[in-house]
Amino acid sequence: MLIDASHKKWLGASVGLAVVAGIAYVPYARWSLNGPSGGSWSGLAYGVAGTGLLVYAALLGARKKVPTWRVGRAQTWLKGHIWLGLLSAVLILLHGRFALGGALTTVMMLLLGTIVASGIFGVVLQQILPRTMTSQAPLETIFEQIDHVSTQLRAEADHLMAIACGEEARERKHAPEPAIEGSDRLKELYHRDVRPLLGKEPAQRRAWVSAKQRAALFTQWRTLLPAAAHDIVGELEALCEEHRQLEVQRRLHHWLHGWLFVHVPLSMALLVLTLAHAVIALRY
């Protein structure tokens, strides 16, 4: 989600509530006989409010999985997840008196810090990577279709080589077309340089991330091959450029969504520990 002017109200409301909570904390902390405590009425109020906002932020996952639910707009949920999630961290810090406490609360505070940090990291990535993807991979496709499109590109490259080497008509039992001049050298270069890089192995795909590498390779090809092969070289270069852009998109997509594998499980763990913390606090 892009942070734009539509977030101003959410930002203002969250900062305003955080300031109010902070101002209220000062006299509470100064005038409490034994200092601030998470078990006092004020401390409990901070804890309940912070936990409530955490639960709201966690419900975003359920809202995404059931998009047909008519419970507010998705954009509203996302904005609330960002800003109220940050506000919940402030309230929980006030509830915990800015101290780690025992083993359980220490783990919870560390989880909270990691969740907030990973969330901020994810928001920053969402401001940068979509624009980077647009500039570096204008031939963007649906992420789930990348492997299928890559397979098609490999097949098309093989088909071009079959035409260049005079092998295209053999399966149809027709006389093969004559091979172009330099086809043997072209085939050698293709199987040495291009075909492996159009493969499925990640280590091979990464070689096409650099457009400069691709351009340098095909410039070298044109110096090694006769002019008759240059049209085929140009078509292969275009296919490889499309393949490179798919790999750029794949890499950026992994960055764009990879942080969720930290953020979401830790958020669920924090909610479970919060429930345990509440039960223990009420019983003891």
Side-chain angles (χ1 to χ4, degrees):
M1 164 175 276
L2 290 176
I3 305 298
D4 53 23
S6 66
H7 286 252
K8 285 183 179 179
K9 291 182 179 179
W10 284 94
L11 172 61
S14 299
V15 171
L17 290 172
V19 170
V20 170
I23 291 173
Y25 182 82
V26 174
Y28 151 65
R30 291 189 62 182
W31 296 335
S32 297
L33 291 178
N34 298 314
S37 168
S40 66
W41 286 109
S42 297
L44 285 173
Y46 286 124
V48 169
T51 301
L53 293 179
L54 273 181
V55 172
Y56 166 81
L59 286 174
L60 175 64
R63 172 65 174 76
K64 283 185 175 180
K65 289 185 178 180
V66 191
T68 55
W69 282 2
R70 302 293 182 179
V71 188
R73 297 174 56 200
Q75 292 293 315
T76 302
W77 277 82
L78 284 168
K79 292 172 185 176
H81 180 84
I82 294 170
W83 299 111
L84 297 183
L86 289 172
L87 177 60
S88 72
V90 174
L91 296 177
I92 290 171
L93 286 173
L94 294 173
H95 166 71
R97 301 165 294 132
F98 299 95
L100 294 178
L104 177 59
T105 52
T106 297
V107 171
M108 291 173 65
M109 285 297 186
L110 292 175
L111 282 176
L112 179 63
T114 306
I115 291 165
V116 170
S118 62
I120 293 173
F121 179 69
V123 170
V124 171
L125 288 181
Q126 289 172 19
Q127 311 312 300
I128 299 171
L129 292 189
R131 297 170 186 170
T132 303
M133 192 178 297
T134 300
S135 62
Q136 294 189 11
L139 298 175
E140 182 180 355
T141 189
I142 299 172
F143 177 76
E144 289 75 14
Q145 293 293 316
I146 287 180
D147 286 336
H148 175 67
V149 176
S150 294
T151 300
Q152 288 183 321
L153 292 176
R154 285 192 293 272
E156 190 171 347
D158 289 342
H159 179 68
L160 281 172
M161 287 303 302
I163 293 175
C165 298
E167 302 169 354
E168 169 63 17
R170 289 180 183 175
E171 293 184 359
R172 289 178 283 177
K173 298 180 181 180
H174 294 164
E177 296 291 331
I180 65 171
E181 182 185 357
S183 61
D184 290 340
R185 181 59 169 154
L186 174 63
K187 187 174 183 179
E188 177 188 345
L189 293 172
Y190 175 72
H191 285 287
R192 186 193 74 183
D193 296 331
V194 170
R195 193 57 177 79
L197 297 174
L198 293 176
K200 298 180 180 180
E201 294 300 323
Q204 296 173 329
R205 293 198 305 257
R206 279 196 292 270
W208 283 124
V209 170
S210 170
K212 291 183 179 179
Q213 288 179 309
R214 185 262 307 161
L217 176 67
F218 286 104
T219 297
Q220 182 185 38
W221 275 31
R222 289 183 176 90
T223 63
L224 296 174
L225 294 168
H230 287 187
D231 286 344
I232 295 293
V233 171
E235 292 183 65
L236 289 173
E237 183 176 13
L239 291 174
C240 289
E241 171 59 16
E242 186 172 351
H243 188 273
R244 184 194 69 82
Q245 291 189 30
L246 291 176
E247 294 312 315
V248 169
Q249 183 184 346
R250 188 198 303 272
R251 182 185 62 174
L252 294 179
H253 188 276
H254 287 159
W255 273 101
L256 190 59
H257 298 280
W259 63 276
L260 290 170
F261 291 100
V262 174
H263 189 75
V264 173
L266 293 187
S267 298
M268 296 301 101
L270 180 59
L271 286 175
V272 172
L273 292 180
T274 299
L275 177 61
H277 173 67
V279 171
I280 293 171
L282 290 173
R283 292 190 61 179
Y284 303 102

